[in-house]
């Protein structure tokens, strides 16, 4: 057995300032760390009351696997002149392998499936350069190894838009913009996997910038998202859930092992 962290008692209550107001009963809550992905575990829970009484319960739960394309997925080599046609012809399960070059801004047009995700992958690490990428309303789309320079031309410029994205992946990308990855104003992200990215903002470490300005590194609302092993620097907030009225179904999110620096708000 591996010892877990003690559970924390959460008294019955309700949220403040959110829409809708969320209510809950008395409960215990906790987390288990350093588990293997895609593995079933037996979890033993014990409760002892100093005033008398105790309980034990054993449950089984499975961790999610790290999302990846099938090993036999068809690979289609693409360059800057053929991306539009390739996206039009793409089928679930395709890997679009991008040659180095500048591809402009992209709104991804179609979905993959759980068994056959659609993958947009740079042939050389961060050699395929985009201005912005939108995965709005997309499902099962992977971005791998891309460079997103960002519009960087106004205070709400977003490098990778994840509004209403479901089961999408952003992995090993380099992103530079006012907002790195965002899903907030018009829809939450659900079950997305954001890992091993380098995300840089525009805010310099100066006294006059403290607590001011715009821009978040990774800013998400929604359930089931995994944010791990990212290096994020130079934003108002480097990692951010939403608060008050903007908070929307923020449950079962795993944020861990991210390296954060130069967060000028708090």
């Amino acid at each position: 057995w591996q010892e877990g962290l003690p559970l924390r008692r959460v008294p019955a209550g309700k949220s403040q300032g959110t829409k809708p107001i969320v209510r809950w009963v008395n409960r215990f809550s906790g987390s288990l760390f350093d588990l293997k992905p895609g593995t079933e575990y037996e979890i033993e829970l014990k409760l002892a009351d100093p005033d008398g009484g105790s309980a034990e319960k054993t449950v089984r739960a499975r961790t999610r696997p790290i999302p990846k394309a099938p090993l036999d997925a068809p690979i289609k080599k693409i360059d800057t002149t053929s991306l539009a046609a390739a996206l039009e012809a793409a089928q679930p399960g395709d890997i679009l392998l991008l040659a180095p070059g500048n591809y402009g801004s992209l709104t991804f047009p179609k979905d993959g499936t759980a068994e056959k995700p659609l993958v947009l992958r740079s042939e050389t690490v961060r050699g395929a350069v985009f201005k912005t990428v939108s995965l709005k309303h997309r499902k099962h789309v992977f971005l791998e190894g891309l460079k997103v320079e960002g519009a960087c031309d106004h205070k709400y410029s977003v490098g990778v838009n994840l509004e209403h994205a479901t089961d999408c992946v952003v992995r090993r990308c380099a992103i530079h913009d006012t907002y790195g990855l965002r899903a907030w104003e018009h829809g939450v992200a659900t079950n997305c996997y954001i890992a091993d990215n380098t995300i840089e903002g525009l805010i310099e470490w100066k006294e006059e910038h403290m607590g001011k300005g715009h821009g978040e590194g990774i800013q998400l609302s929604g359930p089931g998202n995994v944010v791990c092993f990212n290096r994020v620097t130079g934003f108002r907030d480097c990692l951010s859930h939403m608060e008050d009225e903007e908070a929307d179904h923020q449950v079962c999110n795993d944020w861990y092992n991210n390296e954060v620096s130069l967060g000028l708000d708090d």
Side-chain angles (χ1 to χ4, degrees), residues 83-130:
L83 177 58
L87 288 171
E88 181 68 25
Q91 298 297 316
D94 287 351
I95 296 177
L96 304 183
L97 192 63
L98 302 177
N102 292 299
Y103 289 83
S105 291
L106 172 65
T107 298
F108 209 88
K110 55 181 63 176
D111 299 331
T113 67
E115 296 77 21
K116 295 182 176 182
L118 259 173
V119 181
L120 196 64
R121 179 184 297 165
S122 180
E123 185 176 16
T124 62
V125 178
R126 298 166 182 174
V129 181
F130 288 84

Side-chain angles (χ1 to χ4, degrees), residues 43-210:
I43 304 168
E44 184 180 77
L45 303 165
K46 296 180 180 180
L47 177 67
D49 189 336
D51 298 321
S54 62
E56 294 187 14
K57 186 176 182 178
T58 299
V59 298
R60 301 186 73 88
R62 177 175 289 275
T63 56
R64 287 163 56 180
I66 295 175
K68 58 184 179 180
L71 294 176
D72 59 351
I75 297 176
K76 300 179 179 180
K77 292 192 175 183
I78 311 298
D79 60 24
T80 56
T81 64
S82 58
L83 177 58
L87 288 171
E88 181 68 25
Q91 298 297 316
D94 287 351
I95 296 177
L96 304 183
L97 192 63
L98 302 177
N102 292 299
Y103 289 83
S105 291
L106 172 65
T107 298
F108 209 88
K110 55 181 63 176
D111 299 331
T113 67
E115 296 77 21
K116 295 182 176 182
L118 259 173
V119 181
L120 196 64
R121 179 184 297 165
S122 180
E123 185 176 16
T124 62
V125 178
R126 298 166 182 174
V129 181
F130 288 84
K131 189 175 183 181
T132 59
V133 179
S134 175
L135 297 183
K136 189 173 182 178
H137 292 288
R138 296 281 64 90
K139 298 178 180 179
H140 305 289
V141 174
F142 293 9
L143 305 180
E144 297 184 344
L146 309 182
K147 186 174 184 179
V148 182
E149 291 286 8
C152 302
D153 53 3
H154 58 82
K155 63 183 181 180
Y156 294 119
S157 177
V158 181
V160 178
N161 186 342
L162 291 173
E163 292 175 2
H164 292 292
T166 302
D167 291 292
C168 288
V169 171
V170 182
R171 177 165 43 206
R172 296 190 296 277
C173 295
I175 303 169
H176 178 229
D177 208 340
T178 309
Y179 290 80
L181 297 97
R182 198 182 200 205
W184 163 46
E185 287 184 308
H186 305 294
V188 303
T190 302
N191 293 341
C192 290
Y193 182 79
I194 301 166
D196 298 296
N197 302 288
T198 299
I199 304 168
E200 296 183 356
L202 310 180
I203 302 178
E204 297 179 349
W205 188 263
K206 295 181 179 179
E207 183 68 30
E208 60 266 28
H209 294 168
M210 299 296 172

